[in-house]
Amino acid sequence: MEYLIHLAILIAIYVILSLSLNLVVGYTGLLSVTHAAFYGIGVYATAILATKLGVSFFVSILIGVIVSSIIALAVGMILNRFKDDYYALGSFGFNVIIFSIFLNWQDLTRGPLGIPGIPRPNIFSINFSENLIFLMLVVLFAVLVYFISCFVVDSSFGRVLKGIREDEKALQVFGYNTHHYKLSIFVIGGAIAAVAGSLFAAYISFIDPSTFTLNESIFILAIIILGGLANLRGSILGAIFLVLIPEILRFVGMPNEIAAQMRQVIYGIILMLLMLYRPQGLIGEYKL
Amino acid sequence: MLPQLILNSIIAGSIYTLVALGFNLIYSTTKFFNLAHGVLAAVGAYIVFFLAQMLGVDIYLSVVAGIFVAGFIGYLLDKIVYLPLRKRKASNMVLLVASLGAFTVIQAIIAILFSSQFQTLSRNIGFEKTYEIFGGIITQTQLIIFLCGIVIMAGLLIMFKKTSFGKAIVATSDNEEVAKIVGINTNRIIGRVFFIGSAIAGLAGILVGFDTGIEPTMGMSLLLKGVIASIIGGIGSVYGGVLGAFFLGFVENFGIWQISGEWKDAIAFALLIIFLIFRPRGLINK
């Protein structure tokens, strides 16, 4: 039972991450491979604020979101100058830079040693150290993010985003400042990813930089491509699939070290097969 | 201090040259960022590790085998993954994502077979010779790296200028459709380009392995440096890649003279982003 709750929590966290990335990649057509960086900013915000300053969890979420938004704003302004594959490459670069900040700014992040002892949230005398109750909190956030995403894509703002994806020039002709739209959605995506990070930090209680490498960004990208670009339910489906599939390996008795690598083999193969045979993913509405 | 810094920059530049040359060669014919390129460096290095260190095969034979296997896997990737995608006129982003998948798979397989630990790769020559040049010290391995960089660059230049195969490559990169019309089998040319480019990557990986050691993730950092070198030099040109590689080597090494060495990757990417903003076509404008 504990194990199932653990998986459910992970799935909910990845649902938050993939929904937010889908807004950027699926709806707006910006191939961003830097999502793990914003995820990591949320994680470190909560970890540092909670362990060093004893800030409450919910305040730390807010601060994580603000920091992540500011950085996303700066990164987005630079990335907006690029298109398609150069965009992907530039976003790659930011993931590496932000990862090296996590790794090397040792006064703040303790570098490779990581930060242990991150407390679970505590509010209105509800004890979130019980995993089941924490799961409810994470699911609550995931549902909230789902509805925010629905609201974003169904609004007129969302329709402009899809327009940018299909034909940016045409929208510019109609007088839309596409630059601002692209920047806004990138910031929204980064902010939501930071929420997932805060939840992850509080859940796992020990964090180190190795979680926020490029591989994690590729993993989140694999989730949304598998589920389907520009389809919110697809992201949920993708997160469930890609979190659960590697768990099967554990049941066939594979040692942990190898299972972790097999996980990468599996999602790498899934990425290749999808590109070859079904670039729109399971239920996607947009092909890269 | 200064001579050593310059030597280090030149060595780093030579390594990046090797990666950038292969990457650029493939990019110039296919026009997409083949991110699986770097992992082939790791393939080459691990083949040598497996043959020479685990089975005790002769070191020169192992190196040749490592280069060949890296080239062959690059060739297979083209035939199995990229060629079908190109035939369907898939966008560059699809190819890029597919190459990310290939990269992840191969890197993980290496980690499963040989563990993800850092390991050393020795040339079985016992004591490493060192040379002193203007007060800076350079090891024999590093000298070999520098020479390989020069030789491969010269080789590619001769290939492009003198052989019909090289001219066919140039024709394919200029305009694939026209090249087809005049009777060049462009898919075969591209397949061979993948073999050659990947073999050069394999050589780079082996040399880095001799110099500093091997780990499954070595490919990614090498690839990123190669890509950055290609872009800041001028993507798709031989000279551009070399120029960019040495420029990057110097900036990185002089950068960490002032701030600590862990920031190397961040410096490299900051340089890339500066170039993408202010000079997106690189030093050599092609």
Side-chain angles (χ1 to χ4, degrees):
Chain A
M1 193 57 200
E2 269 303 293
Y3 175 63
L4 289 182
I5 295 173
H6 165 73
L7 288 182
I9 291 176
L10 281 188
I11 289 173
I13 288 175
Y14 279 108
V15 164
I16 300 177
L17 286 171
S18 47
L19 284 173
S20 53
L21 186 64
N22 208 346
L23 293 177
V24 179
V25 180
Y27 285 92
T28 324
L30 307 169
L31 186 55
S32 155
V33 202
T34 187
H35 220 52
F38 299 119
Y39 178 42
I41 290 170
V43 165
Y44 272 101
T46 292
I48 293 164
L49 290 171
T51 55
K52 286 200 176 153
L53 304 172
V55 175
S56 133
F57 173 73
F58 294 95
V59 177
S60 78
I61 285 194
L62 200 66
I63 297 177
V65 165
I66 294 170
V67 173
S68 181
S69 304
I70 294 171
I71 294 176
L73 186 72
V75 172
M77 280 209 259
I78 297 175
L79 287 182
N80 263 356
R81 293 162 155 270
F82 313 139
K83 275 181 106 60
D84 299 344
D85 39 359
Y86 277 86
Y87 191 98
L89 204 66
S91 68
F92 240 72
F94 279 108
N95 203 144
V96 173
I97 291 175
I98 292 177
F99 171 73
S100 29
I101 293 176
F102 292 150
L103 190 66
N104 299 322
W105 192 355
Q106 304 211 347
D107 299 337
L108 191 67
T109 65
R110 289 171 36 95
L113 297 174
I115 299 178
I118 304 158
R120 289 278 172 92
N122 200 337
I123 194 169
F124 306 133
S125 69
I126 304 172
N127 186 7
F128 284 101
S129 53
E130 193 70 43
N131 275 353
L132 190 61
I133 298 174
F134 192 78
L135 171 65
M136 288 174 192
L137 180 75
V138 181
V139 169
L140 181 75
F141 270 102
V143 171
L144 205 64
V145 167
Y146 179 74
F147 282 118
I148 292 174
S149 309
C150 280
F151 176 72
V152 168
V153 299
D154 290 335
S155 63
S156 60
F157 175 74
R159 283 193 293 279
V160 176
L161 295 182
K162 283 183 235 173
I164 291 176
R165 182 187 75 197
E166 299 302 332
D167 192 343
E168 191 176 347
K169 277 267 154 22
L171 277 171
Q172 285 168 346
V173 171
F174 285 124
Y176 287 99
N177 188 334
T178 55
H179 180 78
H180 287 171
Y181 281 88
K182 288 198 287 188
L183 201 54
S184 312
I185 198 63
F186 193 76
V187 171
I188 293 172
I192 298 177
V195 173
S198 294
L199 290 166
F200 181 73
Y203 171 61
I204 214 79
S205 90
F206 167 80
I207 52 133
D208 71 76
S210 66
T211 319
F212 313 105
T213 56
L214 215 47
N215 278 338
E216 188 72 5
S217 288
I218 302 174
F219 180 65
I220 307 170
L221 189 68
I223 290 179
I224 63 166
I225 293 179
L226 172 68
L229 291 174
N231 187 318
L232 295 176
R233 265 163 297 172
S235 296
I236 300 175
L237 208 63
I240 296 173
F241 261 101
L242 276 192
V243 172
L244 289 186
I245 289 173
E247 295 301 323
I248 299 167
L249 299 173
R250 244 187 264 269
F251 285 107
V252 296
M254 208 173 258
N256 255 339
E257 151 92 353
I258 294 181
Q261 298 296 339
M262 274 310 282
R263 174 175 172 245
Q264 300 202 10
V265 173
I266 289 173
Y267 73 73
I269 289 178
I270 287 178
L271 271 183
M272 283 197 284
L273 290 180
L274 282 172
M275 288 301 108
L276 278 167
Y277 301 109
R278 206 176 159 76
Q280 72 271 42
L282 292 174
I283 50 174
E285 282 153 30
Y286 164 60
K287 291 185 201 172
L288 273 177
Chain B
M1 189 64 204
L2 196 64
Q4 188 64 52
L5 217 52
I6 292 172
L7 277 180
N8 288 350
S9 309
I10 292 175
I11 303 306
S14 311
I15 292 171
Y16 303 157
T17 297
L18 285 171
V19 187
L21 282 174
F23 178 81
N24 240 340
L25 184 65
I26 293 175
Y27 182 91
S28 68
T29 51
T30 56
K31 304 287 184 292
F32 84 98
F33 291 118
N34 174 25
L35 298 178
H37 187 70
V39 81
L40 295 169
V43 168
Y46 271 91
I47 293 289
V48 174
F49 177 76
F50 175 69
L51 289 177
Q53 228 134 311
M54 291 167 79
L55 298 183
V57 177
D58 176 65
I59 190 78
Y60 294 104
L61 203 64
S62 312
V63 170
V64 172
I67 295 172
F68 184 80
V69 172
F72 187 65
I73 291 182
Y75 177 80
L76 280 185
L77 274 181
D78 177 51
K79 290 293 171 225
I80 297 171
V81 184
Y82 305 138
L83 180 62
L85 285 174
R86 277 204 311 277
K87 278 192 175 150
R88 216 176 305 148
K89 304 245 178 292
S91 73
N92 279 346
M93 293 211 273
V94 168
L95 283 156
L96 186 140
V97 172
S99 74
L100 267 183
F103 151 76
T104 325
V105 172
I106 298 175
Q107 177 174 303
I109 289 175
I110 293 175
I112 290 172
L113 294 177
F114 299 100
S115 99
S116 49
Q117 299 299 317
F118 184 82
Q119 277 153 323
T120 53
L121 190 63
S122 101
R123 285 195 291 132
N124 297 337
I125 45 149
F127 188 70
E128 171 106 72
K129 272 190 212 138
T130 56
Y131 306 97
E132 207 184 305
I133 303 168
F134 302 121
I137 289 167
I138 180 172
T139 65
Q140 196 179 28
T141 310
Q142 291 172 332
L143 191 66
I144 295 173
I145 291 175
F146 177 68
L147 294 176
C148 282
I150 303 283
V151 168
I152 298 284
M153 182 186 77
L156 282 181
L157 283 176
I158 292 169
M159 185 183 84
F160 279 127
K161 292 264 154 60
K162 304 281 177 202
T163 66
S164 62
F165 173 61
K167 282 173 184 153
I169 294 177
V170 176
T172 311
S173 23
D174 282 349
N175 193 328
E176 201 182 327
E177 291 306 314
V178 175
K180 266 186 197 151
I181 291 167
V182 297
I184 296 171
N185 184 343
T186 53
N187 284 331
R188 189 191 288 162
I189 295 285
I190 292 176
R192 288 183 188 166
V193 163
F194 264 93
F195 183 88
I196 297 172
S198 308
I200 299 174
L203 173 67
I206 295 167
L207 292 170
V208 170
F210 285 142
D211 188 29
T212 53
I214 53 175
E215 54 185 332
T217 54
M218 66 190 278
M220 199 52 182
S221 49
L222 275 179
L223 167 82
L224 294 175
K225 300 300 166 58
V227 176
I228 295 172
S230 307
I231 291 180
I232 64 179
I235 194 147
S237 106
V238 175
Y239 293 114
V242 176
L243 197 64
F246 280 99
F247 188 71
L248 177 63
F250 272 91
V251 170
E252 249 186 22
N253 280 288
F254 277 80
I256 61 170
W257 186 22
Q258 296 298 332
I259 46 181
S260 87
E262 295 95 38
W263 295 98
K264 241 184 191 174
D265 287 354
I267 294 174
F269 265 103
L271 188 69
L272 170 72
I273 288 162
I274 292 171
F275 261 84
L276 282 177
I277 294 173
F278 296 106
R279 208 175 160 82
R281 287 177 173 278
L283 293 166
I284 291 183
N285 206 332
K286 201 188 175 189

PDB file of all heavy atoms in Angstrom, chain A residues 28-29 54 79 95 114 116 138 161 164-165 175 178 183-184 188 195 233 237 241-242 261-262 267 272 287:
ATOM      1  N   THR A  28       2.339  25.915 -27.689  1.00  0.00           N
ATOM      2  CA  THR A  28       2.979  27.067 -28.317  1.00  0.00           C
ATOM      3  C   THR A  28       4.042  26.660 -29.338  1.00  0.00           C
ATOM      4  O   THR A  28       4.508  27.475 -30.112  1.00  0.00           O
ATOM      5  CB  THR A  28       3.599  27.974 -27.228  1.00  0.00           C
ATOM      6  OG1 THR A  28       2.759  27.956 -26.091  1.00  0.00           O
ATOM      7  CG2 THR A  28       3.745  29.388 -27.710  1.00  0.00           C
ATOM      8  N   GLY A  29       4.445  25.366 -29.302  1.00  0.00           N
ATOM      9  CA  GLY A  29       5.400  24.892 -30.290  1.00  0.00           C
ATOM     10  C   GLY A  29       6.839  25.304 -30.017  1.00  0.00           C
ATOM     11  O   GLY A  29       7.654  25.337 -30.932  1.00  0.00           O
ATOM     12  N   GLY A  54      13.662  27.879   8.280  1.00  0.00           N
ATOM     13  CA  GLY A  54      12.446  27.400   8.919  1.00  0.00           C
ATOM     14  C   GLY A  54      11.180  28.036   8.380  1.00  0.00           C
ATOM     15  O   GLY A  54      10.174  28.153   9.077  1.00  0.00           O
ATOM     16  N   LEU A  79      15.734  33.147 -25.114  1.00  0.00           N
ATOM     17  CA  LEU A  79      15.328  32.046 -25.998  1.00  0.00           C
ATOM     18  C   LEU A  79      14.396  32.522 -27.105  1.00  0.00           C
ATOM     19  O   LEU A  79      14.380  31.950 -28.192  1.00  0.00           O
ATOM     20  CB  LEU A  79      14.642  30.944 -25.194  1.00  0.00           C
ATOM     21  CG  LEU A  79      15.559  30.101 -24.311  1.00  0.00           C
ATOM     22  CD1 LEU A  79      14.762  29.017 -23.609  1.00  0.00           C
ATOM     23  CD2 LEU A  79      16.674  29.472 -25.124  1.00  0.00           C
ATOM     24  N   ASN A  95      19.667  24.591 -19.143  1.00  0.00           N
ATOM     25  CA  ASN A  95      19.590  23.482 -18.195  1.00  0.00           C
ATOM     26  C   ASN A  95      20.980  23.188 -17.622  1.00  0.00           C
ATOM     27  O   ASN A  95      21.153  23.008 -16.413  1.00  0.00           O
ATOM     28  CB  ASN A  95      19.013  22.241 -18.880  1.00  0.00           C
ATOM     29  CG  ASN A  95      18.409  21.271 -17.897  1.00  0.00           C
ATOM     30  OD1 ASN A  95      17.410  20.629 -18.158  1.00  0.00           O
ATOM     31  ND2 ASN A  95      19.015  21.162 -16.722  1.00  0.00           N
ATOM     32  N   GLY A 114      24.132  17.571  -1.206  1.00  0.00           N
ATOM     33  CA  GLY A 114      22.676  17.621  -1.129  1.00  0.00           C
ATOM     34  C   GLY A 114      22.189  18.207   0.180  1.00  0.00           C
ATOM     35  O   GLY A 114      22.981  18.509   1.075  1.00  0.00           O
ATOM     36  N   PRO A 116      19.722  17.434   3.312  1.00  0.00           N
ATOM     37  CA  PRO A 116      18.875  16.438   3.980  1.00  0.00           C
ATOM     38  C   PRO A 116      17.869  17.098   4.921  1.00  0.00           C
ATOM     39  O   PRO A 116      17.956  18.304   5.196  1.00  0.00           O
ATOM     40  CB  PRO A 116      19.888  15.620   4.775  1.00  0.00           C
ATOM     41  CG  PRO A 116      20.976  16.599   5.105  1.00  0.00           C
ATOM     42  CD  PRO A 116      20.966  17.666   4.042  1.00  0.00           C
ATOM     43  N   VAL A 138      -0.782  16.588  -2.874  1.00  0.00           N
ATOM     44  CA  VAL A 138      -0.180  16.626  -4.206  1.00  0.00           C
ATOM     45  C   VAL A 138      -1.262  16.529  -5.277  1.00  0.00           C
ATOM     46  O   VAL A 138      -1.233  17.269  -6.276  1.00  0.00           O
ATOM     47  CB  VAL A 138       0.842  15.485  -4.374  1.00  0.00           C
ATOM     48  CG1 VAL A 138       1.487  15.548  -5.740  1.00  0.00           C
ATOM     49  CG2 VAL A 138       1.904  15.555  -3.304  1.00  0.00           C
ATOM     50  N   LEU A 161      -1.788  31.291 -28.596  1.00  0.00           N
ATOM     51  CA  LEU A 161      -0.619  30.413 -28.499  1.00  0.00           C
ATOM     52  C   LEU A 161      -0.627  29.387 -29.632  1.00  0.00           C
ATOM     53  O   LEU A 161       0.379  29.156 -30.295  1.00  0.00           O
ATOM     54  CB  LEU A 161      -0.604  29.688 -27.153  1.00  0.00           C
ATOM     55  CG  LEU A 161      -0.431  30.563 -25.918  1.00  0.00           C
ATOM     56  CD1 LEU A 161      -0.383  29.691 -24.670  1.00  0.00           C
ATOM     57  CD2 LEU A 161       0.834  31.395 -26.012  1.00  0.00           C
ATOM     58  N   ILE A 164       0.365  30.930 -32.790  1.00  0.00           N
ATOM     59  CA  ILE A 164       1.815  31.139 -32.892  1.00  0.00           C
ATOM     60  C   ILE A 164       2.485  29.856 -33.371  1.00  0.00           C
ATOM     61  O   ILE A 164       3.370  29.868 -34.215  1.00  0.00           O
ATOM     62  CB  ILE A 164       2.392  31.564 -31.526  1.00  0.00           C
ATOM     63  CG1 ILE A 164       1.904  32.961 -31.161  1.00  0.00           C
ATOM     64  CG2 ILE A 164       3.913  31.519 -31.548  1.00  0.00           C
ATOM     65  CD1 ILE A 164       2.329  33.423 -29.797  1.00  0.00           C
ATOM     66  N   ARG A 165       2.010  28.736 -32.817  1.00  0.00           N
ATOM     67  CA  ARG A 165       2.583  27.440 -33.180  1.00  0.00           C
ATOM     68  C   ARG A 165       2.394  27.168 -34.670  1.00  0.00           C
ATOM     69  O   ARG A 165       3.293  26.696 -35.349  1.00  0.00           O
ATOM     70  CB  ARG A 165       1.884  26.366 -32.346  1.00  0.00           C
ATOM     71  CG  ARG A 165       2.387  24.983 -32.568  1.00  0.00           C
ATOM     72  CD  ARG A 165       1.504  24.005 -31.828  1.00  0.00           C
ATOM     73  NE  ARG A 165       0.227  23.827 -32.508  1.00  0.00           N
ATOM     74  CZ  ARG A 165      -0.848  23.286 -31.934  1.00  0.00           C
ATOM     75  NH1 ARG A 165      -0.811  22.919 -30.677  1.00  0.00           N
ATOM     76  NH2 ARG A 165      -1.955  23.127 -32.622  1.00  0.00           N
ATOM     77  N   GLY A 175      -1.366  41.833 -35.832  1.00  0.00           N
ATOM     78  CA  GLY A 175      -1.105  42.813 -34.782  1.00  0.00           C
ATOM     79  C   GLY A 175      -0.879  42.234 -33.402  1.00  0.00           C
ATOM     80  O   GLY A 175      -0.856  42.962 -32.423  1.00  0.00           O
ATOM     81  N   THR A 178       3.583  38.647 -30.610  1.00  0.00           N
ATOM     82  CA  THR A 178       3.803  37.224 -30.298  1.00  0.00           C
ATOM     83  C   THR A 178       4.914  37.044 -29.272  1.00  0.00           C
ATOM     84  O   THR A 178       4.902  36.094 -28.502  1.00  0.00           O
ATOM     85  CB  THR A 178       4.160  36.434 -31.568  1.00  0.00           C
ATOM     86  OG1 THR A 178       5.277  37.052 -32.193  1.00  0.00           O
ATOM     87  CG2 THR A 178       2.993  36.407 -32.521  1.00  0.00           C
ATOM     88  N   LEU A 183       6.658  34.702 -24.226  1.00  0.00           N
ATOM     89  CA  LEU A 183       7.308  34.929 -22.945  1.00  0.00           C
ATOM     90  C   LEU A 183       6.368  34.565 -21.798  1.00  0.00           C
ATOM     91  O   LEU A 183       6.748  33.892 -20.840  1.00  0.00           O
ATOM     92  CB  LEU A 183       7.717  36.404 -22.861  1.00  0.00           C
ATOM     93  CG  LEU A 183       8.815  36.754 -21.878  1.00  0.00           C
ATOM     94  CD1 LEU A 183      10.028  35.898 -22.140  1.00  0.00           C
ATOM     95  CD2 LEU A 183       9.165  38.224 -22.016  1.00  0.00           C
ATOM     96  N   SER A 184       5.098  34.989 -21.899  1.00  0.00           N
ATOM     97  CA  SER A 184       4.140  34.734 -20.819  1.00  0.00           C
ATOM     98  C   SER A 184       3.991  33.232 -20.580  1.00  0.00           C
ATOM     99  O   SER A 184       4.023  32.770 -19.440  1.00  0.00           O
ATOM    100  CB  SER A 184       2.766  35.299 -21.156  1.00  0.00           C
ATOM    101  OG  SER A 184       2.878  36.595 -21.606  1.00  0.00           O
ATOM    102  N   ILE A 188       4.764  31.079 -17.239  1.00  0.00           N
ATOM    103  CA  ILE A 188       3.730  30.276 -16.570  1.00  0.00           C
ATOM    104  C   ILE A 188       4.234  28.833 -16.407  1.00  0.00           C
ATOM    105  O   ILE A 188       4.124  28.241 -15.332  1.00  0.00           O
ATOM    106  CB  ILE A 188       2.414  30.301 -17.388  1.00  0.00           C
ATOM    107  CG1 ILE A 188       1.824  31.706 -17.359  1.00  0.00           C
ATOM    108  CG2 ILE A 188       1.416  29.293 -16.843  1.00  0.00           C
ATOM    109  CD1 ILE A 188       0.635  31.900 -18.289  1.00  0.00           C
ATOM    110  N   VAL A 195       6.318  24.680  -8.586  1.00  0.00           N
ATOM    111  CA  VAL A 195       5.378  24.115  -7.611  1.00  0.00           C
ATOM    112  C   VAL A 195       5.639  22.622  -7.457  1.00  0.00           C
ATOM    113  O   VAL A 195       5.719  22.091  -6.335  1.00  0.00           O
ATOM    114  CB  VAL A 195       3.915  24.363  -8.054  1.00  0.00           C
ATOM    115  CG1 VAL A 195       2.957  23.644  -7.134  1.00  0.00           C
ATOM    116  CG2 VAL A 195       3.626  25.845  -8.102  1.00  0.00           C
ATOM    117  N   ARG A 233      -5.044  15.856 -21.322  1.00  0.00           N
ATOM    118  CA  ARG A 233      -5.265  14.510 -20.794  1.00  0.00           C
ATOM    119  C   ARG A 233      -4.131  13.580 -21.220  1.00  0.00           C
ATOM    120  O   ARG A 233      -3.755  12.663 -20.516  1.00  0.00           O
ATOM    121  CB  ARG A 233      -6.613  13.968 -21.257  1.00  0.00           C
ATOM    122  CG  ARG A 233      -7.713  14.221 -20.228  1.00  0.00           C
ATOM    123  CD  ARG A 233      -9.063  14.073 -20.855  1.00  0.00           C
ATOM    124  NE  ARG A 233      -9.251  15.081 -21.891  1.00  0.00           N
ATOM    125  CZ  ARG A 233     -10.279  15.113 -22.732  1.00  0.00           C
ATOM    126  NH1 ARG A 233     -11.196  14.189 -22.670  1.00  0.00           N
ATOM    127  NH2 ARG A 233     -10.378  16.068 -23.632  1.00  0.00           N
ATOM    128  N   LEU A 237      -1.910  10.876 -19.036  1.00  0.00           N
ATOM    129  CA  LEU A 237      -1.715   9.496 -19.496  1.00  0.00           C
ATOM    130  C   LEU A 237      -0.225   9.177 -19.615  1.00  0.00           C
ATOM    131  O   LEU A 237       0.252   8.144 -19.139  1.00  0.00           O
ATOM    132  CB  LEU A 237      -2.381   9.376 -20.867  1.00  0.00           C
ATOM    133  CG  LEU A 237      -2.905   8.022 -21.281  1.00  0.00           C
ATOM    134  CD1 LEU A 237      -4.010   7.613 -20.331  1.00  0.00           C
ATOM    135  CD2 LEU A 237      -3.445   8.105 -22.708  1.00  0.00           C
ATOM    136  N   PHE A 241       1.979   6.311 -17.611  1.00  0.00           N
ATOM    137  CA  PHE A 241       2.712   5.277 -18.346  1.00  0.00           C
ATOM    138  C   PHE A 241       4.193   5.285 -17.986  1.00  0.00           C
ATOM    139  O   PHE A 241       4.755   4.280 -17.592  1.00  0.00           O
ATOM    140  CB  PHE A 241       2.603   5.538 -19.854  1.00  0.00           C
ATOM    141  CG  PHE A 241       1.563   4.711 -20.519  1.00  0.00           C
ATOM    142  CD1 PHE A 241       0.324   5.254 -20.824  1.00  0.00           C
ATOM    143  CD2 PHE A 241       1.818   3.392 -20.854  1.00  0.00           C
ATOM    144  CE1 PHE A 241      -0.643   4.493 -21.445  1.00  0.00           C
ATOM    145  CE2 PHE A 241       0.858   2.628 -21.469  1.00  0.00           C
ATOM    146  CZ  PHE A 241      -0.383   3.173 -21.769  1.00  0.00           C
ATOM    147  N   LEU A 242       4.813   6.455 -18.134  1.00  0.00           N
ATOM    148  CA  LEU A 242       6.273   6.469 -18.033  1.00  0.00           C
ATOM    149  C   LEU A 242       6.754   6.324 -16.593  1.00  0.00           C
ATOM    150  O   LEU A 242       7.885   5.927 -16.366  1.00  0.00           O
ATOM    151  CB  LEU A 242       6.849   7.736 -18.671  1.00  0.00           C
ATOM    152  CG  LEU A 242       7.040   7.631 -20.179  1.00  0.00           C
ATOM    153  CD1 LEU A 242       7.872   8.771 -20.690  1.00  0.00           C
ATOM    154  CD2 LEU A 242       7.685   6.321 -20.575  1.00  0.00           C
ATOM    155  N   GLN A 261      19.011   2.478 -14.981  1.00  0.00           N
ATOM    156  CA  GLN A 261      19.487   2.660 -16.351  1.00  0.00           C
ATOM    157  C   GLN A 261      18.486   2.126 -17.363  1.00  0.00           C
ATOM    158  O   GLN A 261      18.300   2.703 -18.434  1.00  0.00           O
ATOM    159  CB  GLN A 261      20.841   1.961 -16.550  1.00  0.00           C
ATOM    160  CG  GLN A 261      21.958   2.489 -15.674  1.00  0.00           C
ATOM    161  CD  GLN A 261      22.303   3.924 -15.986  1.00  0.00           C
ATOM    162  OE1 GLN A 261      22.010   4.426 -17.060  1.00  0.00           O
ATOM    163  NE2 GLN A 261      22.926   4.608 -15.044  1.00  0.00           N
ATOM    164  N   MET A 262      17.831   1.006 -16.999  1.00  0.00           N
ATOM    165  CA  MET A 262      16.838   0.431 -17.909  1.00  0.00           C
ATOM    166  C   MET A 262      15.701   1.417 -18.138  1.00  0.00           C
ATOM    167  O   MET A 262      15.133   1.483 -19.220  1.00  0.00           O
ATOM    168  CB  MET A 262      16.264  -0.872 -17.332  1.00  0.00           C
ATOM    169  CG  MET A 262      17.066  -2.115 -17.640  1.00  0.00           C
ATOM    170  SD  MET A 262      17.480  -2.285 -19.378  1.00  0.00           S
ATOM    171  CE  MET A 262      15.923  -2.893 -20.018  1.00  0.00           C
ATOM    172  N   TYR A 267      12.721   4.828 -21.955  1.00  0.00           N
ATOM    173  CA  TYR A 267      12.124   6.049 -22.496  1.00  0.00           C
ATOM    174  C   TYR A 267      12.875   6.576 -23.701  1.00  0.00           C
ATOM    175  O   TYR A 267      12.287   7.248 -24.551  1.00  0.00           O
ATOM    176  CB  TYR A 267      11.820   7.098 -21.430  1.00  0.00           C
ATOM    177  CG  TYR A 267      12.939   7.857 -20.803  1.00  0.00           C
ATOM    178  CD1 TYR A 267      13.621   8.839 -21.510  1.00  0.00           C
ATOM    179  CD2 TYR A 267      13.272   7.655 -19.482  1.00  0.00           C
ATOM    180  CE1 TYR A 267      14.615   9.574 -20.917  1.00  0.00           C
ATOM    181  CE2 TYR A 267      14.268   8.387 -18.883  1.00  0.00           C
ATOM    182  CZ  TYR A 267      14.938   9.339 -19.601  1.00  0.00           C
ATOM    183  OH  TYR A 267      15.921  10.072 -19.023  1.00  0.00           O
ATOM    184  N   MET A 272      12.340   7.274 -29.682  1.00  0.00           N
ATOM    185  CA  MET A 272      12.686   6.958 -31.067  1.00  0.00           C
ATOM    186  C   MET A 272      11.499   6.352 -31.807  1.00  0.00           C
ATOM    187  O   MET A 272      11.190   6.730 -32.941  1.00  0.00           O
ATOM    188  CB  MET A 272      13.864   5.985 -31.103  1.00  0.00           C
ATOM    189  CG  MET A 272      15.192   6.650 -30.826  1.00  0.00           C
ATOM    190  SD  MET A 272      16.570   5.634 -31.342  1.00  0.00           S
ATOM    191  CE  MET A 272      16.619   4.424 -30.055  1.00  0.00           C
ATOM    192  N   LYS A 287       1.820  17.602 -34.230  1.00  0.00           N
ATOM    193  CA  LYS A 287       3.063  16.884 -34.483  1.00  0.00           C
ATOM    194  C   LYS A 287       4.204  17.877 -34.501  1.00  0.00           C
ATOM    195  O   LYS A 287       4.055  18.966 -35.045  1.00  0.00           O
ATOM    196  CB  LYS A 287       3.014  16.211 -35.856  1.00  0.00           C
ATOM    197  CG  LYS A 287       2.063  15.070 -35.954  1.00  0.00           C
ATOM    198  CD  LYS A 287       2.217  14.442 -37.335  1.00  0.00           C
ATOM    199  CE  LYS A 287       0.996  13.644 -37.698  1.00  0.00           C
ATOM    200  NZ  LYS A 287       1.040  13.200 -39.083  1.00  0.00           N
TER     201      LYS A 287
END
